[in-house]
Amino acid sequence: MTIPTQRPQAAAPGRSRRAPSLTGLPSLTGLRFYAATAVFLYHVTSPQLSPFSGGTAHDATRLFGIAGGLGVSFFFILSGFILTWSARPTDTPALFMRRRLVKLYPNHLVTFVISLLVFAGATTTAWQNWLPNLLLVQTWSWNPAVSFSVNAPSWSLGCELLFYLCFPLLLRAVKAISPARLWAWAVVFAAAVVAVPAFAYAVLPGEVRIPGWQASEVQNWFVYQLPPVRMLEFVLGMLLARIVLTDRWVGVRLWQAVLLCVAAYAVALNVPYLYTLSAVWVIPLGLLIPAAAVADVQGRRSPFRGRVMKWLGEVSFAFYLLQATVLIGGNKYLAGHAPYGFGKALGLSLLAWALTTVLAYLLYTVVERPAMKYLSRPRRRGADAGAGTTEQTIGVR
């Protein structure tokens, strides 16, 4: 993934700070792989897939069982931020949706088929379960057999699909907000994200708990998977992009935002389950993403940019979609060899991470990049042929 270049708007009258200059945002590219790895850590230490045993397995699940929420929240906020950052006035909704669908579907279709071949084909036989996944509408169902069917991580693509459909209208609304009121709106949306778990606990039925989730199917679905609810984070990302582009950033540095994320992780280990899915992360990530963008704009030091981080960021979408297949397939293949000691379990986890990374590079090289190159826009001559393509290499996962 390469975060696109965008020329920000000039500073508001009377403001003394210099507006952001023309630049790319490579730190956000690197951060994407950290987020994808956070989701990997959640999956590899889950009770169903963990190679660890005994007390180590319990400790690993407790430590990394909240990492999935962190990674997904990062991607949803980042998606709103980078699409707003890269929006072109001359773009059309049709061209925008074409590019986004070309980004989503080739990788999704390939990993869907791979998942069926490796493990899901034996258990996902009813069309009511697999067809919603294929069409990326599975996340509208609170039944885990549907919403997490076939390739489970693809549920989040169903949320992204709604975001993209609404983006042209949302962008018009966000641009209509006065720069002086952007922060107020950002606070409103962040507060709404924090309030969602409280609403779920207070109002939604919670009698039938899902093992390991400490919540009912309906509660978990409402907070974690329901697209209109997760759109709150996407819109927050849009507002934050406008804040930076209109020179309204408050001056939080990248290192300060990273420390806040570390502190939030410690907090997340000690709060009720539903709050760990998004509420704990919304403020730290809402500061981290713009802070990384500003660091790149102003040329400050950042540990998240560089050739290696750029490469890892580019394959992160493929990595995200492949990880569950690698872990579930490996668990199925090695089931007769468990339990493992700590050293062997750690080695298997690292091997799964490395294998997923290699396969992600292949998927990115053979499927994702060619699809974006040849299918993202109509083949036509003229100045408009390349319009609106600056965000075409931005991943959503």
Side-chain angles (χ1 to χ4, degrees):
M1 177 198 77
T2 301
I3 300 295
T5 297
Q6 171 73 16
R7 187 180 297 279
Q9 298 180 2
R15 297 184 67 81
S16 59
R17 287 178 294 164
R18 185 177 62 183
S21 61
L22 185 65
T23 184
L25 305 178
S27 291
L28 293 183
T29 300
L31 278 169
R32 282 175 41 81
F33 194 76
Y34 283 96
T37 298
V39 179
F40 174 87
L41 290 172
Y42 162 73
H43 286 136
V44 78
T45 58
S46 65
Q48 299 83 4
L49 299 176
S50 177
F52 299 96
S53 59
T56 302
H58 177 270
D59 293 341
T61 299
R62 169 168 167 73
L63 181 60
F64 297 114
I66 59 174
L70 167 63
V72 172
S73 285
F74 175 87
F75 284 124
F76 286 159
I77 297 174
L78 178 68
S79 185
F81 187 94
I82 54 183
L83 290 180
T84 303
W85 183 276
S86 63
R88 289 190 175 191
T90 57
D91 204 8
T92 67
L95 287 175
F96 171 79
M97 278 305 301
R98 179 186 179 121
R99 293 192 305 273
R100 293 296 87 208
L101 290 175
V102 168
K103 179 66 177 181
L104 285 184
Y105 263 97
N107 277 8
H108 168 58
L109 291 176
V110 171
T111 53
F112 177 89
V113 172
I114 292 174
S115 296
L116 284 176
L117 294 175
V118 173
F119 66 91
T123 57
T124 311
T125 56
W127 67 266
Q128 296 92 335
N129 290 347
W130 61 260
L131 184 59
N133 183 290
L134 180 64
L135 301 177
L136 293 181
V137 296
Q138 73 273 39
T139 191
W140 292 93
S141 171
W142 64 64
N143 180 1
V146 177
S147 60
F148 291 116
S149 63
V150 192
N151 187 25
S154 65
W155 71 264
S156 61
L157 305 190
C159 291
E160 293 281 357
L161 187 60
L162 177 68
F163 302 165
Y164 299 157
L165 289 169
C166 297
F167 180 73
L169 292 177
L170 291 173
L171 183 62
R172 185 181 303 177
V174 169
K175 283 187 173 182
I177 299 173
S178 167
R181 296 183 178 180
L182 286 170
W183 270 114
W185 278 102
V187 170
V188 168
F189 274 84
V193 174
V194 175
V196 165
F199 174 86
Y201 277 127
V203 176
L204 300 180
E207 292 81 10
V208 182
R209 296 292 183 94
I210 301 175
W213 286 3
Q214 304 171 33
S216 70
E217 289 181 357
V218 175
Q219 288 174 331
N220 188 82
W221 167 77
F222 182 83
V223 177
Y224 192 52
Q225 291 184 284
L226 183 60
V229 170
R230 300 316 298 258
M231 190 182 288
L232 294 172
E233 293 153 276
F234 179 80
V235 176
L236 175 62
M238 296 179 65
L239 292 165
L240 293 169
R242 292 290 297 159
I243 285 171
V244 176
L245 292 172
T246 56
D247 194 31
R248 296 278 167 168
W249 183 237
V250 293
V252 175
R253 298 296 183 94
L254 179 56
W255 68 268
Q256 294 170 325
V258 170
L259 289 180
L260 184 59
C261 289
V262 173
Y265 202 95
V267 171
L269 292 171
N270 298 282
V271 299
Y273 167 75
L274 290 180
Y275 288 92
T276 69
L277 300 179
S278 57
V280 173
W281 315 115
V282 64
I283 294 177
L285 294 177
L287 296 175
L288 175 66
I289 290 170
V294 171
D296 287 339
V297 167
Q298 298 182 350
R300 296 176 184 166
R301 295 182 62 182
S302 168
F304 306 113
R305 70 169 75 102
R307 181 175 299 179
V308 174
M309 293 309 306
K310 179 177 181 287
W311 182 85
L312 290 172
E314 287 175 344
V315 304
S316 61
F317 178 40
F319 180 96
Y320 175 86
L321 287 177
L322 284 165
Q323 58 183 289
T325 301
V326 171
L327 291 173
I328 296 174
N331 184 269
K332 178 181 177 181
Y333 177 76
L334 298 172
H337 301 277
Y340 304 103
F342 175 80
K344 185 174 290 187
L346 180 60
L348 287 172
S349 299
L350 293 173
L351 177 62
W353 180 90
L355 178 60
T356 306
T357 303
V358 172
L359 294 176
Y361 173 70
L362 293 176
L363 183 62
Y364 170 75
T365 303
V366 176
V367 177
E368 182 179 340
R369 189 166 59 183
M372 292 300 298
K373 180 178 181 180
Y374 295 110
L375 302 177
S376 63
R377 62 183 184 270
R379 291 182 175 275
R380 60 184 183 184
R381 297 179 179 179
D384 293 335
T389 61
T390 54
E391 95 295 329
Q392 70 176 15
T393 56
I394 301 174
V396 293
R397 282 275 64 84

